[in-house]
Amino acid sequence: MSKSGSSSGNMSQGSSGSDVPNNPPPIQGIYATNNQFLKAGPKGFIHVKVLENDNLHVRVDLPGVPDDGVRHRVDAVRKKLVFFSGETPAGNQREGVREYSGSAGLGCDCCEITGVDAKMKDGVLRMIVSRVKVKDHDKKCTHTVPPNAGKSGRLLEDHPFLVKGRKGAVVGVPLPGDGLYFAVDIPGVCCDDVEVLANEHEVRFYAEVKNVDEHDESGRVYLGCVISCSSSSDPLPSILTQTIAYDAEFGVLKIVIAPRNSTNSE
């Protein structure tokens, strides 16, 4: 973990929490169906837009996937789709491995994909898909977008491209010695964009994308908390008496709450 501390502070209300083990409370009035912690900015697991030069910009959230951990290829037969896949590192047994696989591309008959420039950063895959017109067509060119892109609502939706691993945006794992480990999806955010503060029995986080991508209408803002709880009748020690360490890597915020002098570490 790159940052640590045991500071306290107040943040704005209305954030979502999660118990340990992973058992989130009912969620109401969430901003985006893909992540209960997303409070502002682009919604959806995927977004496709047409650029001024008629190329396509494709943004896909793949939280946890390293910058060099994604693969892509163009359908060699019809040249209409870009297939992409990726997986999270196998070393972190607390979260388990997640694997993603999906596609995006053209819905028209008149164009073909000629190339893809892909970049993976902070848990977000961005692709510039170039295309060329191969035959005349009276209808407007279209692109394919999954039905659950960019929506808001009161119920969360599963990631459409997740083929293995945890589905939720947050997971909590008990650690030896009364420690706790949390992982929260915040795709697009790096460690320098995150603030973590604590009070007696919860750790609140605020994350805001400072370096907005040129093709996004705005940056994203995440706000939430993780809650220290117990199934026993024994009172919990105050979080303020424990050590809090956190880091954000590949679009996932990782928080460790551990008794001071504990050896629990990432």
Side-chain angles (χ1 to χ4, degrees):
M1 293 291 178
S2 65
K3 298 185 179 182
S4 63
S6 56
S7 60
S8 63
N10 295 320
M11 298 183 67
S12 59
Q13 300 299 313
S15 56
S16 300
S18 177
D19 298 340
V20 177
N22 188 20
N23 182 24
I27 299 167
Q28 297 181 352
I30 58 175
Y31 175 76
T33 58
N34 59 310
N35 192 316
Q36 67 265 44
F37 304 108
L38 182 64
K39 300 304 177 184
K43 306 174 185 178
F45 299 97
I46 183 172
H47 181 256
V48 183
K49 67 182 293 185
V50 181
L51 303 179
E52 291 183 359
N53 60 4
D54 212 33
N55 290 341
L56 301 181
H57 176 260
V58 182
R59 186 264 300 160
V60 189
D61 291 344
L62 304 175
V65 176
D67 296 350
D68 59 354
V70 70
R71 300 169 294 278
H72 72 277
R73 64 178 179 85
V74 176
D75 175 15
V77 178
R78 301 185 65 242
K79 299 180 181 179
K80 302 291 185 184
L81 294 176
V82 179
F83 297 98
F84 54 84
S85 61
E87 62 183 33
T88 62
N92 191 345
Q93 298 180 354
R94 295 168 179 170
E95 299 176 48
V97 174
R98 283 190 285 181
E99 296 180 2
Y100 302 90
S101 180
S103 65
L106 306 176
C108 64
D109 295 327
C110 54
C111 296
E112 290 182 352
I113 295 175
T114 58
V116 178
D117 182 11
K119 182 180 180 181
M120 187 75 192
K121 184 180 180 181
D122 298 327
V124 178
L125 170 64
R126 299 181 184 277
M127 298 183 289
I128 301 296
V129 180
S130 55
R131 58 178 174 172
V132 64
K133 207 172 187 68
V134 294
K135 63 180 180 180
D136 293 332
H137 203 295
D138 294 334
K139 297 181 180 180
K140 183 179 180 180
C141 295
T142 59
H143 52 275
T144 61
V145 181
N148 55 357
K151 295 199 305 182
S152 61
R154 296 181 61 180
L155 298 176
L156 293 174
E157 295 186 359
D158 292 340
H159 199 303
F161 307 128
L162 184 72
V163 295
K164 178 183 178 181
R166 67 176 175 91
K167 297 181 179 180
V170 59
V171 64
V173 180
L175 297 177
D178 295 325
L180 297 172
Y181 172 85
F182 293 95
V184 184
D185 292 343
I186 49 171
V189 173
C190 68
C191 190
D192 292 338
D193 300 334
V194 179
E195 296 180 21
V196 174
L197 301 171
N199 58 32
E200 287 289 328
H201 294 299
E202 66 182 16
V203 176
R204 293 180 174 270
F205 58 87
Y206 175 84
E208 179 177 0
V209 177
K210 295 182 176 66
N211 295 319
V212 180
D213 184 86
E214 61 177 322
H215 299 301
D216 281 352
E217 62 272 22
S218 66
R220 282 170 158 175
V221 174
Y222 298 89
L223 177 65
C225 69
V226 290
I227 303 170
S228 175
C229 68
S230 174
S231 58
S232 69
S233 59
D234 297 333
L236 286 166
S238 169
I239 290 179
L240 302 181
T241 66
Q242 299 177 298
T243 296
I244 302 170
Y246 67 93
D247 194 8
E249 184 178 39
F250 310 136
V252 178
L253 172 62
K254 303 175 182 182
I255 302 173
V256 169
I257 306 170
R260 293 181 182 179
N261 301 322
S262 171
T263 58
N264 287 322
S265 62
E266 179 62 19

PDB file of all heavy atoms in Angstrom, residues 166-204:
ATOM      1  N   ARG A 166     -15.700 -11.707  -9.275  1.00  0.00           N
ATOM      2  CA  ARG A 166     -16.712 -10.967  -8.528  1.00  0.00           C
ATOM      3  C   ARG A 166     -17.451  -9.980  -9.420  1.00  0.00           C
ATOM      4  O   ARG A 166     -16.866  -9.311 -10.258  1.00  0.00           O
ATOM      5  CB  ARG A 166     -16.095 -10.243  -7.343  1.00  0.00           C
ATOM      6  CG  ARG A 166     -15.130  -9.109  -7.668  1.00  0.00           C
ATOM      7  CD  ARG A 166     -14.686  -8.424  -6.381  1.00  0.00           C
ATOM      8  NE  ARG A 166     -13.669  -7.405  -6.593  1.00  0.00           N
ATOM      9  CZ  ARG A 166     -13.923  -6.125  -6.809  1.00  0.00           C
ATOM     10  NH1 ARG A 166     -15.183  -5.710  -6.864  1.00  0.00           N
ATOM     11  NH2 ARG A 166     -12.941  -5.253  -6.970  1.00  0.00           N
ATOM     12  N   LYS A 167     -18.761  -9.863  -9.188  1.00  0.00           N
ATOM     13  CA  LYS A 167     -19.597  -8.994  -9.997  1.00  0.00           C
ATOM     14  C   LYS A 167     -19.740  -7.606  -9.396  1.00  0.00           C
ATOM     15  O   LYS A 167     -19.904  -6.627 -10.120  1.00  0.00           O
ATOM     16  CB  LYS A 167     -20.975  -9.627 -10.176  1.00  0.00           C
ATOM     17  CG  LYS A 167     -20.970 -10.945 -10.922  1.00  0.00           C
ATOM     18  CD  LYS A 167     -22.388 -11.498 -11.072  1.00  0.00           C
ATOM     19  CE  LYS A 167     -22.376 -12.807 -11.838  1.00  0.00           C
ATOM     20  NZ  LYS A 167     -23.754 -13.356 -12.002  1.00  0.00           N
ATOM     21  N   GLY A 168     -19.742  -7.509  -8.076  1.00  0.00           N
ATOM     22  CA  GLY A 168     -19.995  -6.239  -7.431  1.00  0.00           C
ATOM     23  C   GLY A 168     -18.823  -5.278  -7.526  1.00  0.00           C
ATOM     24  O   GLY A 168     -17.675  -5.672  -7.753  1.00  0.00           O
ATOM     25  N   ALA A 169     -19.124  -3.980  -7.312  1.00  0.00           N
ATOM     26  CA  ALA A 169     -18.092  -2.954  -7.359  1.00  0.00           C
ATOM     27  C   ALA A 169     -17.285  -2.891  -6.074  1.00  0.00           C
ATOM     28  O   ALA A 169     -16.296  -2.162  -6.006  1.00  0.00           O
ATOM     29  CB  ALA A 169     -18.720  -1.599  -7.645  1.00  0.00           C
ATOM     30  N   VAL A 170     -17.683  -3.663  -5.038  1.00  0.00           N
ATOM     31  CA  VAL A 170     -16.954  -3.638  -3.779  1.00  0.00           C
ATOM     32  C   VAL A 170     -16.917  -5.034  -3.182  1.00  0.00           C
ATOM     33  O   VAL A 170     -17.854  -5.820  -3.345  1.00  0.00           O
ATOM     34  CB  VAL A 170     -17.615  -2.654  -2.774  1.00  0.00           C
ATOM     35  CG1 VAL A 170     -19.051  -3.031  -2.492  1.00  0.00           C
ATOM     36  CG2 VAL A 170     -16.817  -2.573  -1.473  1.00  0.00           C
ATOM     37  N   VAL A 171     -15.820  -5.354  -2.524  1.00  0.00           N
ATOM     38  CA  VAL A 171     -15.698  -6.618  -1.803  1.00  0.00           C
ATOM     39  C   VAL A 171     -14.963  -6.342  -0.502  1.00  0.00           C
ATOM     40  O   VAL A 171     -14.051  -5.510  -0.446  1.00  0.00           O
ATOM     41  CB  VAL A 171     -14.949  -7.683  -2.641  1.00  0.00           C
ATOM     42  CG1 VAL A 171     -13.520  -7.268  -2.919  1.00  0.00           C
ATOM     43  CG2 VAL A 171     -14.975  -9.040  -1.954  1.00  0.00           C
ATOM     44  N   GLY A 172     -15.392  -7.003   0.578  1.00  0.00           N
ATOM     45  CA  GLY A 172     -14.742  -6.889   1.875  1.00  0.00           C
ATOM     46  C   GLY A 172     -14.295  -8.252   2.362  1.00  0.00           C
ATOM     47  O   GLY A 172     -15.038  -9.234   2.238  1.00  0.00           O
ATOM     48  N   VAL A 173     -13.085  -8.323   2.892  1.00  0.00           N
ATOM     49  CA  VAL A 173     -12.504  -9.600   3.333  1.00  0.00           C
ATOM     50  C   VAL A 173     -11.902  -9.421   4.719  1.00  0.00           C
ATOM     51  O   VAL A 173     -11.099  -8.505   4.938  1.00  0.00           O
ATOM     52  CB  VAL A 173     -11.410 -10.073   2.351  1.00  0.00           C
ATOM     53  CG1 VAL A 173     -10.824 -11.399   2.811  1.00  0.00           C
ATOM     54  CG2 VAL A 173     -11.954 -10.187   0.936  1.00  0.00           C
ATOM     55  N   PRO A 174     -12.279 -10.264   5.691  1.00  0.00           N
ATOM     56  CA  PRO A 174     -11.628 -10.196   7.009  1.00  0.00           C
ATOM     57  C   PRO A 174     -10.164 -10.612   6.905  1.00  0.00           C
ATOM     58  O   PRO A 174      -9.804 -11.487   6.123  1.00  0.00           O
ATOM     59  CB  PRO A 174     -12.426 -11.193   7.854  1.00  0.00           C
ATOM     60  CG  PRO A 174     -13.689 -11.446   7.089  1.00  0.00           C
ATOM     61  CD  PRO A 174     -13.351 -11.267   5.647  1.00  0.00           C
ATOM     62  N   LEU A 175      -9.320  -9.984   7.710  1.00  0.00           N
ATOM     63  CA  LEU A 175      -7.911 -10.326   7.773  1.00  0.00           C
ATOM     64  C   LEU A 175      -7.579 -10.856   9.163  1.00  0.00           C
ATOM     65  O   LEU A 175      -8.284 -10.558  10.128  1.00  0.00           O
ATOM     66  CB  LEU A 175      -7.043  -9.098   7.469  1.00  0.00           C
ATOM     67  CG  LEU A 175      -7.189  -8.486   6.078  1.00  0.00           C
ATOM     68  CD1 LEU A 175      -6.315  -7.239   5.973  1.00  0.00           C
ATOM     69  CD2 LEU A 175      -6.825  -9.479   4.988  1.00  0.00           C
ATOM     70  N   PRO A 176      -6.523 -11.636   9.283  1.00  0.00           N
ATOM     71  CA  PRO A 176      -6.118 -12.124  10.611  1.00  0.00           C
ATOM     72  C   PRO A 176      -5.857 -10.960  11.560  1.00  0.00           C
ATOM     73  O   PRO A 176      -5.409  -9.895  11.162  1.00  0.00           O
ATOM     74  CB  PRO A 176      -4.834 -12.909  10.316  1.00  0.00           C
ATOM     75  CG  PRO A 176      -4.933 -13.279   8.871  1.00  0.00           C
ATOM     76  CD  PRO A 176      -5.662 -12.157   8.207  1.00  0.00           C
ATOM     77  N   GLY A 177      -6.184 -11.184  12.838  1.00  0.00           N
ATOM     78  CA  GLY A 177      -5.931 -10.159  13.838  1.00  0.00           C
ATOM     79  C   GLY A 177      -6.919  -9.021  13.808  1.00  0.00           C
ATOM     80  O   GLY A 177      -6.554  -7.870  14.080  1.00  0.00           O
ATOM     81  N   ASP A 178      -8.169  -9.304  13.452  1.00  0.00           N
ATOM     82  CA  ASP A 178      -9.228  -8.290  13.425  1.00  0.00           C
ATOM     83  C   ASP A 178      -8.974  -7.210  12.378  1.00  0.00           C
ATOM     84  O   ASP A 178      -9.432  -6.069  12.529  1.00  0.00           O
ATOM     85  CB  ASP A 178      -9.408  -7.626  14.797  1.00  0.00           C
ATOM     86  CG  ASP A 178      -9.906  -8.609  15.848  1.00  0.00           C
ATOM     87  OD1 ASP A 178     -10.693  -9.494  15.469  1.00  0.00           O
ATOM     88  OD2 ASP A 178      -9.509  -8.483  17.021  1.00  0.00           O
ATOM     89  N   GLY A 179      -8.271  -7.562  11.318  1.00  0.00           N
ATOM     90  CA  GLY A 179      -8.066  -6.618  10.228  1.00  0.00           C
ATOM     91  C   GLY A 179      -9.143  -6.763   9.166  1.00  0.00           C
ATOM     92  O   GLY A 179      -9.898  -7.742   9.132  1.00  0.00           O
ATOM     93  N   LEU A 180      -9.244  -5.788   8.303  1.00  0.00           N
ATOM     94  CA  LEU A 180     -10.221  -5.797   7.213  1.00  0.00           C
ATOM     95  C   LEU A 180      -9.553  -5.330   5.931  1.00  0.00           C
ATOM     96  O   LEU A 180      -8.685  -4.446   5.954  1.00  0.00           O
ATOM     97  CB  LEU A 180     -11.401  -4.865   7.535  1.00  0.00           C
ATOM     98  CG  LEU A 180     -12.253  -5.201   8.748  1.00  0.00           C
ATOM     99  CD1 LEU A 180     -13.242  -4.061   9.015  1.00  0.00           C
ATOM    100  CD2 LEU A 180     -13.006  -6.504   8.540  1.00  0.00           C
ATOM    101  N   TYR A 181      -9.978  -5.925   4.820  1.00  0.00           N
ATOM    102  CA  TYR A 181      -9.482  -5.531   3.500  1.00  0.00           C
ATOM    103  C   TYR A 181     -10.674  -5.238   2.610  1.00  0.00           C
ATOM    104  O   TYR A 181     -11.634  -6.010   2.561  1.00  0.00           O
ATOM    105  CB  TYR A 181      -8.632  -6.649   2.889  1.00  0.00           C
ATOM    106  CG  TYR A 181      -8.238  -6.406   1.453  1.00  0.00           C
ATOM    107  CD1 TYR A 181      -7.110  -5.640   1.139  1.00  0.00           C
ATOM    108  CD2 TYR A 181      -8.994  -6.929   0.409  1.00  0.00           C
ATOM    109  CE1 TYR A 181      -6.738  -5.414  -0.175  1.00  0.00           C
ATOM    110  CE2 TYR A 181      -8.631  -6.704  -0.916  1.00  0.00           C
ATOM    111  CZ  TYR A 181      -7.504  -5.948  -1.203  1.00  0.00           C
ATOM    112  OH  TYR A 181      -7.146  -5.727  -2.506  1.00  0.00           O
ATOM    113  N   PHE A 182     -10.633  -4.102   1.926  1.00  0.00           N
ATOM    114  CA  PHE A 182     -11.700  -3.731   0.999  1.00  0.00           C
ATOM    115  C   PHE A 182     -11.097  -3.411  -0.363  1.00  0.00           C
ATOM    116  O   PHE A 182     -10.003  -2.841  -0.456  1.00  0.00           O
ATOM    117  CB  PHE A 182     -12.460  -2.490   1.494  1.00  0.00           C
ATOM    118  CG  PHE A 182     -13.254  -2.713   2.756  1.00  0.00           C
ATOM    119  CD1 PHE A 182     -12.712  -2.403   3.987  1.00  0.00           C
ATOM    120  CD2 PHE A 182     -14.535  -3.223   2.692  1.00  0.00           C
ATOM    121  CE1 PHE A 182     -13.437  -2.593   5.147  1.00  0.00           C
ATOM    122  CE2 PHE A 182     -15.263  -3.428   3.850  1.00  0.00           C
ATOM    123  CZ  PHE A 182     -14.721  -3.105   5.075  1.00  0.00           C
ATOM    124  N   ALA A 183     -11.827  -3.765  -1.412  1.00  0.00           N
ATOM    125  CA  ALA A 183     -11.478  -3.377  -2.774  1.00  0.00           C
ATOM    126  C   ALA A 183     -12.721  -2.757  -3.404  1.00  0.00           C
ATOM    127  O   ALA A 183     -13.803  -3.347  -3.375  1.00  0.00           O
ATOM    128  CB  ALA A 183     -11.007  -4.577  -3.587  1.00  0.00           C
ATOM    129  N   VAL A 184     -12.560  -1.553  -3.961  1.00  0.00           N
ATOM    130  CA  VAL A 184     -13.677  -0.801  -4.529  1.00  0.00           C
ATOM    131  C   VAL A 184     -13.313  -0.390  -5.949  1.00  0.00           C
ATOM    132  O   VAL A 184     -12.254   0.200  -6.188  1.00  0.00           O
ATOM    133  CB  VAL A 184     -13.988   0.461  -3.700  1.00  0.00           C
ATOM    134  CG1 VAL A 184     -15.210   1.176  -4.263  1.00  0.00           C
ATOM    135  CG2 VAL A 184     -14.194   0.112  -2.234  1.00  0.00           C
ATOM    136  N   ASP A 185     -14.191  -0.670  -6.899  1.00  0.00           N
ATOM    137  CA  ASP A 185     -13.951  -0.290  -8.289  1.00  0.00           C
ATOM    138  C   ASP A 185     -14.140   1.217  -8.466  1.00  0.00           C
ATOM    139  O   ASP A 185     -15.202   1.765  -8.147  1.00  0.00           O
ATOM    140  CB  ASP A 185     -14.910  -1.023  -9.225  1.00  0.00           C
ATOM    141  CG  ASP A 185     -14.639  -2.515  -9.303  1.00  0.00           C
ATOM    142  OD1 ASP A 185     -13.530  -2.933  -8.907  1.00  0.00           O
ATOM    143  OD2 ASP A 185     -15.528  -3.254  -9.772  1.00  0.00           O
ATOM    144  N   ILE A 186     -13.118   1.872  -8.990  1.00  0.00           N
ATOM    145  CA  ILE A 186     -13.186   3.300  -9.324  1.00  0.00           C
ATOM    146  C   ILE A 186     -12.490   3.504 -10.675  1.00  0.00           C
ATOM    147  O   ILE A 186     -11.502   4.224 -10.770  1.00  0.00           O
ATOM    148  CB  ILE A 186     -12.538   4.178  -8.241  1.00  0.00           C
ATOM    149  CG1 ILE A 186     -11.149   3.644  -7.856  1.00  0.00           C
ATOM    150  CG2 ILE A 186     -13.418   4.258  -7.003  1.00  0.00           C
ATOM    151  CD1 ILE A 186     -10.375   4.582  -6.941  1.00  0.00           C
ATOM    152  N   PRO A 187     -12.997   2.884 -11.751  1.00  0.00           N
ATOM    153  CA  PRO A 187     -12.301   2.949 -13.038  1.00  0.00           C
ATOM    154  C   PRO A 187     -12.085   4.383 -13.508  1.00  0.00           C
ATOM    155  O   PRO A 187     -12.968   5.229 -13.420  1.00  0.00           O
ATOM    156  CB  PRO A 187     -13.235   2.179 -13.985  1.00  0.00           C
ATOM    157  CG  PRO A 187     -14.545   2.093 -13.283  1.00  0.00           C
ATOM    158  CD  PRO A 187     -14.250   2.115 -11.831  1.00  0.00           C
ATOM    159  N   GLY A 188     -10.864   4.624 -14.011  1.00  0.00           N
ATOM    160  CA  GLY A 188     -10.475   5.932 -14.484  1.00  0.00           C
ATOM    161  C   GLY A 188      -9.680   6.732 -13.485  1.00  0.00           C
ATOM    162  O   GLY A 188      -9.116   7.776 -13.831  1.00  0.00           O
ATOM    163  N   VAL A 189      -9.619   6.270 -12.238  1.00  0.00           N
ATOM    164  CA  VAL A 189      -8.982   7.020 -11.152  1.00  0.00           C
ATOM    165  C   VAL A 189      -7.609   6.431 -10.841  1.00  0.00           C
ATOM    166  O   VAL A 189      -7.448   5.210 -10.768  1.00  0.00           O
ATOM    167  CB  VAL A 189      -9.867   7.003  -9.888  1.00  0.00           C
ATOM    168  CG1 VAL A 189      -9.136   7.634  -8.716  1.00  0.00           C
ATOM    169  CG2 VAL A 189     -11.183   7.730 -10.151  1.00  0.00           C
ATOM    170  N   CYS A 190      -6.627   7.309 -10.617  1.00  0.00           N
ATOM    171  CA  CYS A 190      -5.319   6.866 -10.157  1.00  0.00           C
ATOM    172  C   CYS A 190      -5.160   7.226  -8.683  1.00  0.00           C
ATOM    173  O   CYS A 190      -6.010   7.904  -8.103  1.00  0.00           O
ATOM    174  CB  CYS A 190      -4.201   7.495 -10.988  1.00  0.00           C
ATOM    175  SG  CYS A 190      -4.017   9.274 -10.775  1.00  0.00           S
ATOM    176  N   CYS A 191      -4.063   6.800  -8.078  1.00  0.00           N
ATOM    177  CA  CYS A 191      -3.889   6.971  -6.636  1.00  0.00           C
ATOM    178  C   CYS A 191      -3.856   8.440  -6.229  1.00  0.00           C
ATOM    179  O   CYS A 191      -4.344   8.816  -5.165  1.00  0.00           O
ATOM    180  CB  CYS A 191      -2.617   6.272  -6.182  1.00  0.00           C
ATOM    181  SG  CYS A 191      -2.444   6.158  -4.386  1.00  0.00           S
ATOM    182  N   ASP A 192      -3.304   9.303  -7.076  1.00  0.00           N
ATOM    183  CA  ASP A 192      -3.212  10.723  -6.743  1.00  0.00           C
ATOM    184  C   ASP A 192      -4.576  11.407  -6.731  1.00  0.00           C
ATOM    185  O   ASP A 192      -4.691  12.546  -6.255  1.00  0.00           O
ATOM    186  CB  ASP A 192      -2.301  11.441  -7.734  1.00  0.00           C
ATOM    187  CG  ASP A 192      -0.848  11.009  -7.600  1.00  0.00           C
ATOM    188  OD1 ASP A 192      -0.482  10.504  -6.518  1.00  0.00           O
ATOM    189  OD2 ASP A 192      -0.092  11.153  -8.570  1.00  0.00           O
ATOM    190  N   ASP A 193      -5.614  10.746  -7.259  1.00  0.00           N
ATOM    191  CA  ASP A 193      -6.953  11.330  -7.332  1.00  0.00           C
ATOM    192  C   ASP A 193      -7.830  10.963  -6.137  1.00  0.00           C
ATOM    193  O   ASP A 193      -9.010  11.316  -6.113  1.00  0.00           O
ATOM    194  CB  ASP A 193      -7.669  10.869  -8.614  1.00  0.00           C
ATOM    195  CG  ASP A 193      -6.934  11.275  -9.882  1.00  0.00           C
ATOM    196  OD1 ASP A 193      -6.195  12.266  -9.834  1.00  0.00           O
ATOM    197  OD2 ASP A 193      -7.109  10.594 -10.909  1.00  0.00           O
ATOM    198  N   VAL A 194      -7.288  10.241  -5.143  1.00  0.00           N
ATOM    199  CA  VAL A 194      -8.101   9.653  -4.080  1.00  0.00           C
ATOM    200  C   VAL A 194      -7.805  10.311  -2.735  1.00  0.00           C
ATOM    201  O   VAL A 194      -6.644  10.589  -2.402  1.00  0.00           O
ATOM    202  CB  VAL A 194      -7.850   8.130  -3.974  1.00  0.00           C
ATOM    203  CG1 VAL A 194      -8.670   7.520  -2.847  1.00  0.00           C
ATOM    204  CG2 VAL A 194      -8.161   7.448  -5.293  1.00  0.00           C
ATOM    205  N   GLU A 195      -8.866  10.543  -1.950  1.00  0.00           N
ATOM    206  CA  GLU A 195      -8.750  10.948  -0.551  1.00  0.00           C
ATOM    207  C   GLU A 195      -9.489   9.922   0.304  1.00  0.00           C
ATOM    208  O   GLU A 195     -10.602   9.516  -0.034  1.00  0.00           O
ATOM    209  CB  GLU A 195      -9.369  12.331  -0.325  1.00  0.00           C
ATOM    210  CG  GLU A 195      -8.675  13.461  -1.053  1.00  0.00           C
ATOM    211  CD  GLU A 195      -9.347  14.799  -0.787  1.00  0.00           C
ATOM    212  OE1 GLU A 195     -10.057  14.910   0.236  1.00  0.00           O
ATOM    213  OE2 GLU A 195      -9.181  15.712  -1.604  1.00  0.00           O
ATOM    214  N   VAL A 196      -8.871   9.497   1.398  1.00  0.00           N
ATOM    215  CA  VAL A 196      -9.469   8.532   2.318  1.00  0.00           C
ATOM    216  C   VAL A 196      -9.433   9.117   3.720  1.00  0.00           C
ATOM    217  O   VAL A 196      -8.371   9.520   4.202  1.00  0.00           O
ATOM    218  CB  VAL A 196      -8.721   7.181   2.269  1.00  0.00           C
ATOM    219  CG1 VAL A 196      -9.251   6.237   3.339  1.00  0.00           C
ATOM    220  CG2 VAL A 196      -8.878   6.537   0.890  1.00  0.00           C
ATOM    221  N   LEU A 197     -10.594   9.150   4.376  1.00  0.00           N
ATOM    222  CA  LEU A 197     -10.717   9.691   5.727  1.00  0.00           C
ATOM    223  C   LEU A 197     -11.502   8.714   6.587  1.00  0.00           C
ATOM    224  O   LEU A 197     -12.313   7.935   6.067  1.00  0.00           O
ATOM    225  CB  LEU A 197     -11.421  11.049   5.706  1.00  0.00           C
ATOM    226  CG  LEU A 197     -10.763  12.153   4.864  1.00  0.00           C
ATOM    227  CD1 LEU A 197     -11.689  13.356   4.761  1.00  0.00           C
ATOM    228  CD2 LEU A 197      -9.432  12.572   5.452  1.00  0.00           C
ATOM    229  N   ALA A 198     -11.304   8.760   7.899  1.00  0.00           N
ATOM    230  CA  ALA A 198     -11.951   7.795   8.789  1.00  0.00           C
ATOM    231  C   ALA A 198     -12.635   8.491   9.945  1.00  0.00           C
ATOM    232  O   ALA A 198     -12.227   9.571  10.390  1.00  0.00           O
ATOM    233  CB  ALA A 198     -10.920   6.802   9.330  1.00  0.00           C
ATOM    234  N   ASN A 199     -13.718   7.844  10.439  1.00  0.00           N
ATOM    235  CA  ASN A 199     -14.278   8.194  11.735  1.00  0.00           C
ATOM    236  C   ASN A 199     -14.298   6.920  12.580  1.00  0.00           C
ATOM    237  O   ASN A 199     -13.547   5.989  12.307  1.00  0.00           O
ATOM    238  CB  ASN A 199     -15.652   8.857  11.600  1.00  0.00           C
ATOM    239  CG  ASN A 199     -16.650   7.969  10.870  1.00  0.00           C
ATOM    240  OD1 ASN A 199     -16.589   6.737  10.960  1.00  0.00           O
ATOM    241  ND2 ASN A 199     -17.570   8.580  10.127  1.00  0.00           N
ATOM    242  N   GLU A 200     -15.136   6.844  13.596  1.00  0.00           N
ATOM    243  CA  GLU A 200     -15.071   5.731  14.546  1.00  0.00           C
ATOM    244  C   GLU A 200     -15.198   4.359  13.876  1.00  0.00           C
ATOM    245  O   GLU A 200     -14.416   3.445  14.150  1.00  0.00           O
ATOM    246  CB  GLU A 200     -16.171   5.894  15.607  1.00  0.00           C
ATOM    247  CG  GLU A 200     -15.891   7.001  16.609  1.00  0.00           C
ATOM    248  CD  GLU A 200     -14.761   6.650  17.561  1.00  0.00           C
ATOM    249  OE1 GLU A 200     -14.605   5.464  17.868  1.00  0.00           O
ATOM    250  OE2 GLU A 200     -14.042   7.567  17.994  1.00  0.00           O
ATOM    251  N   HIS A 201     -16.194   4.175  13.019  1.00  0.00           N
ATOM    252  CA  HIS A 201     -16.466   2.831  12.495  1.00  0.00           C
ATOM    253  C   HIS A 201     -16.674   2.783  10.993  1.00  0.00           C
ATOM    254  O   HIS A 201     -17.300   1.858  10.480  1.00  0.00           O
ATOM    255  CB  HIS A 201     -17.696   2.239  13.194  1.00  0.00           C
ATOM    256  CG  HIS A 201     -17.489   1.990  14.652  1.00  0.00           C
ATOM    257  ND1 HIS A 201     -16.524   1.130  15.125  1.00  0.00           N
ATOM    258  CD2 HIS A 201     -18.090   2.515  15.753  1.00  0.00           C
ATOM    259  CE1 HIS A 201     -16.563   1.107  16.455  1.00  0.00           C
ATOM    260  NE2 HIS A 201     -17.496   1.950  16.852  1.00  0.00           N
ATOM    261  N   GLU A 202     -16.174   3.761  10.262  1.00  0.00           N
ATOM    262  CA  GLU A 202     -16.237   3.683   8.814  1.00  0.00           C
ATOM    263  C   GLU A 202     -15.100   4.488   8.202  1.00  0.00           C
ATOM    264  O   GLU A 202     -14.569   5.416   8.807  1.00  0.00           O
ATOM    265  CB  GLU A 202     -17.592   4.170   8.282  1.00  0.00           C
ATOM    266  CG  GLU A 202     -17.867   5.632   8.514  1.00  0.00           C
ATOM    267  CD  GLU A 202     -19.244   6.034   8.010  1.00  0.00           C
ATOM    268  OE1 GLU A 202     -20.087   5.148   7.757  1.00  0.00           O
ATOM    269  OE2 GLU A 202     -19.487   7.251   7.878  1.00  0.00           O
ATOM    270  N   VAL A 203     -14.745   4.080   7.015  1.00  0.00           N
ATOM    271  CA  VAL A 203     -13.714   4.773   6.246  1.00  0.00           C
ATOM    272  C   VAL A 203     -14.380   5.324   4.987  1.00  0.00           C
ATOM    273  O   VAL A 203     -14.964   4.569   4.206  1.00  0.00           O
ATOM    274  CB  VAL A 203     -12.560   3.824   5.862  1.00  0.00           C
ATOM    275  CG1 VAL A 203     -11.548   4.550   4.980  1.00  0.00           C
ATOM    276  CG2 VAL A 203     -11.883   3.286   7.109  1.00  0.00           C
ATOM    277  N   ARG A 204     -14.300   6.624   4.825  1.00  0.00           N
ATOM    278  CA  ARG A 204     -14.914   7.278   3.678  1.00  0.00           C
ATOM    279  C   ARG A 204     -13.848   7.607   2.632  1.00  0.00           C
ATOM    280  O   ARG A 204     -12.708   7.915   2.968  1.00  0.00           O
ATOM    281  CB  ARG A 204     -15.636   8.552   4.109  1.00  0.00           C
ATOM    282  CG  ARG A 204     -16.845   8.273   4.988  1.00  0.00           C
ATOM    283  CD  ARG A 204     -17.556   9.553   5.397  1.00  0.00           C
ATOM    284  NE  ARG A 204     -18.785   9.253   6.115  1.00  0.00           N
ATOM    285  CZ  ARG A 204     -19.965   9.091   5.534  1.00  0.00           C
ATOM    286  NH1 ARG A 204     -20.077   9.212   4.225  1.00  0.00           N
ATOM    287  NH2 ARG A 204     -21.041   8.814   6.264  1.00  0.00           N
TER     288      ARG A 204
END
